[in-house]
Amino acid sequence: MKRSRRSKPFARLEWHRRRESEFKPASLQLDTEVYPRDVQPPVDFTGRLIEGDNLAVMTAILTELEGQIDLIYMDPPFLTGKAYSARIGRGEDSRRPSEWQTTSGYQDTWRDGAEYLDMLFPRLDIMRRLLSPSGTIYLHLDWHASAYARVLMDEIFGPNRLINEIVWIYHGPSPIRRAFKRKHDTILVYTKSKDYTFNADAVRVAYDPSTVKTFSSSPKAGFGKVPDLERGKVPEDWWYFPVVARLHKERTGYPTQKPEALMERIILASSNPGDIVADFFCGSGTTAVVADRLDRQWIACDNSPLAIQTIYRRLLLENFERPFTIWRSEEDMQYAIKPQITVSQSGSSIHVALDDILSQESESEPFPADLNMWEVDWDFDGDVFRSHSQAVRMWREEEIDTQMEHTYQQPGDYTLGVRAFDNRGSLGHITHQTTIPA
Ligand SMILES: C[S@@+](CC[C@H](N)C(=O)[O-])C[C@H]1O[C@@H](n2cnc3c(N)ncnc32)[C@H](O)[C@@H]1O
């Protein structure tokens, strides 16, 4: 796939090896349809969760979705040079990181800055093509790469399409002693055209108490414009939201998870109900969860199986009402664990007990402590897994239900599909044949 043609920018970033290349689309396959309890097909799916490298994924969906996505939030690796681990333990002391049980999260390590720019540039370029004419993209970075990204974004979108440089400020501990603590991120906001969605009224906040006091006592104070104190104000371009580490309730254990309040403001401001919101570096799935809650359609992609499982679990643990699909590339399908089940039957009712999940890694943690979720397709067609029953462990709980039941409406031969996910993001799948007598 060739890159789009752009008009000549007034500045251009050069790095060694910068080149135009061709990209191969991912061979995406519909893997799972996920239904809330009692919801039967046919339905409209409101979300797509896609496992795979986002460049190949975006190239694959371009034929269907070019010019269709209304909002893209992008929170890529920041060029920090770190490998991030995910917390998978429960009931641990937050102040003792050396005792946390962890697994590999995602890598933000690069041979050099040029390799990072090689990653970033084609992805920004293809995202512009995916955006709808009134669409907006939010690119979330920090001091490591935001200056370089700004020049790339100016080249791809045009400098006059930058509508905001948002500064997200937060608190937290820092080991830095020879400079000021680095406690802000930068979010570059570009639009595809001059006619873009911006819902000022959806994101208004209360005026500061000092402003309210001043204008309550004298409406003439200020520079002539009297604020509507009841309606509130459109926020400034600097935002304070606490980081997720402090928001215990939201925390999934996935590294660098962003706060839901941040995503809520972005989604409310730059999309409308029914719009398509996409996040191709979706991590723990904050964008998908908030978009779903706000009645948007969503696309969430990540190349980490642990991220995909975290989002899947998070969506199910939310007030799960709207069916969604999971897509994978054929080459990414790996079953690293093996569920062990006992099936018992009484008339048209069937009972499945999950007895164990066999994996190379689970010896350190016995079953069911190593189990994060499992699901059953009561009538698996051997192709698409239709998940109608799911058992999910809450984030910091020990308990997970290992029994499931189902009553068939029709006699016949059925194949049960059973899938399980362990706490490292590995997936297992088995089938079981059963006959329901007339
Ligand atoms: C900063 S984290 C995103 C965090 C997310 N916003 C959240 O709230 O949890 C970046 C994510 O990008 C993913 N990622 C990195 N390179 C990728 C690629 N080429 N394709 C798909 N995902 C990628 C990583 O696995 C990681 O989960």
Side-chain angles (χ1 to χ4, degrees), residues 107-265:
Q107 304 280 329
D108 186 5
T109 49
W110 310 89
R111 215 168 346 136
D112 51 23
E115 187 184 34
Y116 180 83
L117 295 173
D118 285 341
M119 179 281 291
L120 198 62
F121 184 63
R123 287 166 172 82
L124 295 174
D125 193 62
I126 202 163
M127 283 184 198
R128 184 185 174 279
R129 293 180 61 183
L130 285 167
L131 272 185
S132 70
S134 59
T136 309
I137 179 168
Y138 287 68
L139 171 56
H140 189 149
L141 289 167
D142 73 0
W143 59 274
H144 291 92
S146 121
Y148 301 107
R150 167 80 192 267
V151 183
L152 294 183
M153 292 293 268
D154 277 358
E155 180 183 334
I156 294 169
F157 285 83
N160 52 356
R161 296 276 42 89
L162 173 75
I163 60 159
N164 272 127
E165 185 185 38
I166 308 276
V167 177
W168 170 36
I169 53 175
Y170 43 84
H171 296 300
S174 163
I176 292 178
R177 293 290 173 270
R178 292 180 53 77
F180 296 107
K181 288 178 167 189
R182 300 187 183 112
K183 293 295 165 194
H184 80 268
D185 290 0
T186 304
I187 306 176
L188 302 171
V189 189
Y190 283 76
T191 60
K192 180 107 170 233
S193 73
K194 282 194 289 225
D195 301 313
Y196 56 91
T197 301
F198 189 78
N199 303 314
D201 287 341
V203 289
R204 285 183 187 277
V205 291
Y207 279 98
D208 301 331
S210 61
T211 312
V212 174
K213 204 167 152 214
T214 310
F215 283 93
S216 304
S217 56
S218 164
K220 286 194 186 136
F223 298 99
K225 196 162 183 293
V226 180
D228 183 336
L229 298 177
E230 290 273 295
R231 193 175 61 152
K233 62 175 177 177
V234 177
E236 288 80 7
D237 59 1
W238 43 268
W239 301 351
Y240 173 78
F241 293 112
V243 290
V244 170
R246 293 173 166 242
L247 302 169
H248 201 63
K249 237 176 99 225
E250 276 180 38
R251 192 166 57 73
T252 63
Y254 197 82
T256 68
Q257 179 183 341
K258 300 303 178 295
E260 291 180 11
L262 176 87
M263 286 319 305
E264 198 171 283
R265 181 171 288 173

Side-chain angles (χ1 to χ4, degrees), residues 53-54 75 106 254 256-258 281-284 286 302-303:
D53 175 76
N54 48 23
D75 178 22
Y106 71 90
Y254 197 82
T256 68
Q257 179 183 341
K258 300 303 178 295
F281 291 87
C282 65
S284 68
T286 315
D302 204 289
N303 59 0

Side-chain angles (χ1 to χ4, degrees), residues 336-338 356-363 370 422 426:
I337 58 173
K338 195 157 195 294
D356 205 350
I357 46 169
L358 301 183
S359 76
Q360 285 131 6
E361 306 215 47
S362 60
E363 281 135 35
D370 55 347
D422 74 5
S426 301

Side-chain angles (χ1 to χ4, degrees), residues 349-423:
S349 292
I350 192 155
H351 178 273
V352 181
L354 183 64
D355 302 322
D356 205 350
I357 46 169
L358 301 183
S359 76
Q360 285 131 6
E361 306 215 47
S362 60
E363 281 135 35
S364 57
E365 242 199 319
F367 180 83
D370 55 347
L371 174 70
N372 268 359
M373 60 173 281
W374 66 292
E375 56 188 338
V376 181
D377 178 348
W378 302 100
D379 188 11
F380 181 48
D381 65 7
D383 183 18
V384 177
F385 191 92
R386 296 192 172 79
S387 175
H388 279 285
S389 303
Q390 308 95 15
V392 190
R393 183 199 298 285
M394 308 271 277
W395 299 110
R396 276 159 289 283
E397 306 247 322
E398 294 294 321
E399 300 297 314
I400 178 164
D401 196 353
T402 55
Q403 320 284 322
M404 281 193 203
E405 264 182 9
H406 178 71
T407 302
Y408 287 93
Q409 303 303 322
Q410 302 287 336
D413 295 328
Y414 291 94
T415 302
L416 262 69
V418 177
R419 284 192 175 178
F421 299 83
D422 74 5
N423 54 4

